Amino acid sequence: SLCFVVLTGRVTGFSSSLSSKAVSSPNTAPPIPHKILVLGDSGFLGEEIVRQLQQLQVPYSVASRSTNGLDLTAPNAADWVAAQAQGCTAVITTVGSLLGNKEDEVVNAANGFAAEGASRVPSIQRFVAIGNDPKVRQFSQSIPFLQSYTKGKVKAEQTIANYFPDRHTIIQPSLIHGGDTFSTSPPRIPSNVGQVAEDVLGLYPFQAASEALPGIFGVALQAPLSRE
């Protein structure tokens, strides 16, 4: 699970699917954090992360637009995150936007301000963000609806790497499944459909074909990842 990545600093065992990658900076695993700041806790992924932290009895604090007015695009966003991150040892951000307009670039890139703020807190050992699979990203660049979304993700990851060169992890799923309904923002499919697709498309022949085929053909064969 994503919480496993944060608590151990390792990505091994996160997912066996080639369509669900995690890019981690090459450093020794940090000690188990004592407290985690979750940005975007009211969203699809954020809710699951909080549930897992509660189950693991890991102390945490949360911030989101609906919880306490989180706005990473605000001029003082870095200062705000730095204040919220005091006493924490890791930050997970699930903040994102997929509306098909220029706001996507602004909102997704703003995760870089979260990294800037977190970098001011000496106790922060790891910064974790949600990206997307490289093949999905490459394909998205040719679709006008997704171009701003992709640009924002790329900018955020570059900024995160600058502030946490040896202490960042980017989770790179293709499509995420969970819950009971379909959604386009963020893109997801319900668990009953997604689990079947994950089991089938996670088999080696489909993974190999996904890696070998270009464009939409390769993307279509990538196994979705459960939000758990």
Side-chain angles (χ1 to χ4, degrees), residues 49-67:
I49 291 169
V50 168
R51 185 193 68 80
Q52 290 189 25
L53 291 174
Q54 291 173 339
Q55 189 175 52
L56 294 169
Q57 298 184 329
V58 176
Y60 66 91
S61 60
V62 299
S64 67
R65 188 179 295 273
S66 61
T67 302

Side-chain angles (χ1 to χ4, degrees), residues 6-51:
V6 178
L7 293 173
T8 65
R10 296 168 16 216
V11 297
T12 304
F14 176 73
S15 173
S16 60
S17 170
L18 290 178
S19 65
S20 307
K21 302 180 179 69
V23 177
S24 183
S25 52
N27 73 313
T28 304
I32 295 178
H34 295 96
K35 187 177 182 181
I36 295 173
L37 172 61
V38 181
L39 304 179
D41 65 287
S42 61
F44 177 65
L45 289 177
E47 288 181 343
E48 175 61 23
I49 291 169
V50 168
R51 185 193 68 80

Side-chain angles (χ1 to χ4, degrees), residues 6-220:
V6 178
L7 293 173
T8 65
R10 296 168 16 216
V11 297
T12 304
F14 176 73
S15 173
S16 60
S17 170
L18 290 178
S19 65
S20 307
K21 302 180 179 69
V23 177
S24 183
S25 52
N27 73 313
T28 304
I32 295 178
H34 295 96
K35 187 177 182 181
I36 295 173
L37 172 61
V38 181
L39 304 179
D41 65 287
S42 61
F44 177 65
L45 289 177
E47 288 181 343
E48 175 61 23
I49 291 169
V50 168
R51 185 193 68 80
Q52 290 189 25
L53 291 174
Q54 291 173 339
Q55 189 175 52
L56 294 169
Q57 298 184 329
V58 176
Y60 66 91
S61 60
V62 299
S64 67
R65 188 179 295 273
S66 61
T67 302
N68 48 14
L70 170 67
D71 182 4
L72 293 182
T73 66
N76 65 338
D79 294 334
W80 195 91
V81 170
Q84 294 292 316
Q86 295 299 319
C88 294
T89 46
V91 175
I92 305 174
T93 178
T94 66
V95 174
S97 173
L98 181 52
L99 300 175
N101 55 36
K102 292 183 178 180
E103 183 179 349
D104 291 343
E105 181 176 354
V106 175
V107 173
N108 290 316
N111 282 295
F113 295 127
E116 179 185 350
S119 70
R120 300 175 187 172
V121 182
S123 61
I124 297 296
Q125 300 171 359
R126 181 155 295 272
F127 191 96
V128 180
I130 309 298
N132 47 28
D133 183 88
K135 187 176 283 288
V136 173
R137 180 170 295 179
Q138 182 179 17
F139 173 68
S140 299
Q141 291 174 347
S142 63
I143 303 176
F145 177 81
L146 297 174
Q147 287 175 353
S148 290
Y149 167 82
T150 301
K151 288 180 181 178
K153 288 287 189 181
V154 171
K155 287 182 179 180
E157 291 177 17
Q158 291 173 341
T159 305
I160 291 167
N162 286 336
Y163 282 108
F164 290 89
D166 299 319
R167 297 175 292 134
H168 72 280
T169 302
I170 307 297
I171 309 300
Q172 296 183 322
S174 53
L175 185 64
I176 296 174
H177 69 83
D180 302 318
T181 59
F182 285 93
S183 173
T184 57
S185 183
R188 64 175 182 263
I189 55 179
S191 293
N192 57 347
V193 176
Q195 190 58 59
V196 174
E198 182 178 0
D199 292 342
V200 174
L201 295 178
L203 297 173
Y204 175 75
F206 290 104
Q207 293 184 52
S210 175
E211 290 293 310
L213 292 174
I216 191 172
F217 302 105
V219 172

